[in-house]
Amino acid sequence: MLVFFPNSVIFLLASCQRPCRTGYVNPVFIGYSINQIDTLVIKSYMPNTNFTVPVDSFSTNYGTIYTTINDTTIVRFNDNISNHFINAGYDYIIYLPHADTSYFISNIVSTATEGSNTCVNPITSLSINGVKNIISDVETGLFYTSGNMMYLKK
């Protein structure tokens, strides 16, 4: 005789731990006019290769959300294309053609965790132009201004 306990099965499925998804970091530009950052070119490289082994590149497009408060602009790549995020596993160059400025992002550290099917591995630190930066999670209640932020000053 087979006895089925649906509530037990739901509990077991809900309590399963699995690897969390890869987290990403949003660039925050400080001191730039919107005209200087309306076009961004992001190039990814194999890590620890001194930016000599390219992997991919993309530029900002229709899915990018810019949120400006005073002299600070948060940029959110919102097109849901998997390689259009800045995350661990690669190094990046962020080029601002209208400001003729580049930022070299490397040594991205993400803490691997396990949890529910909605969990995300946070980015905890990275280097900007060779200087280590600690990354903190910003929560504003709005998806386009929340998350891991890296601050890029003019």
Side-chain angles (χ1 to χ4, degrees):
M1 178 169 154
L2 180 62
V3 180
F4 189 71
F5 299 101
N7 290 340
S8 299
V9 172
I10 290 171
F11 174 75
L12 287 173
L13 290 175
S15 65
C16 291
Q17 296 289 304
R18 53 189 68 140
C20 297
R21 339 183 241 123
T22 302
Y24 58 90
V25 63
N26 295 313
V28 178
F29 294 95
I30 300 171
Y32 288 95
S33 70
I34 194 67
N35 294 336
Q36 292 176 304
I37 59 172
D38 66 352
T39 301
L40 305 174
V41 178
I42 293 84
K43 297 179 181 179
S44 60
Y45 295 84
M46 291 304 297
N48 306 312
T49 62
N50 203 24
F51 304 95
T52 59
V53 182
V55 174
D56 203 353
S57 66
F58 70 96
S59 61
T60 52
N61 59 27
Y62 69 91
T64 304
I65 299 172
Y66 292 84
T67 304
T68 302
I69 303 165
N70 298 322
D71 71 340
T72 303
T73 301
I74 301 168
V75 178
R76 170 83 178 214
F77 308 116
N78 194 44
D79 58 13
N80 291 323
I81 299 173
S82 62
N83 65 336
H84 287 192
F85 294 99
I86 298 170
N87 52 32
Y90 300 98
D91 291 341
Y92 297 86
I93 295 177
I94 301 174
Y95 176 58
L96 289 60
H98 297 145
D100 194 27
T101 301
S102 293
Y103 291 95
F104 295 81
I105 312 302
S106 59
N107 304 313
I108 301 173
V109 177
S110 178
T111 305
T113 57
E114 290 188 347
S116 68
N117 61 354
T118 60
C119 65
V120 177
N121 290 326
I123 303 291
T124 55
S125 68
L126 52 76
S127 293
I128 301 171
N129 296 336
V131 178
K132 184 176 180 176
N133 287 260
I134 303 301
I135 302 299
S136 61
D137 189 48
V138 175
E139 182 54 58
T140 65
L142 302 170
F143 80 93
Y144 48 88
T145 57
S146 294
N148 294 304
M149 305 292 178
M150 72 173 153
Y151 299 92
L152 305 172
K153 296 178 184 175
K154 186 172 185 180

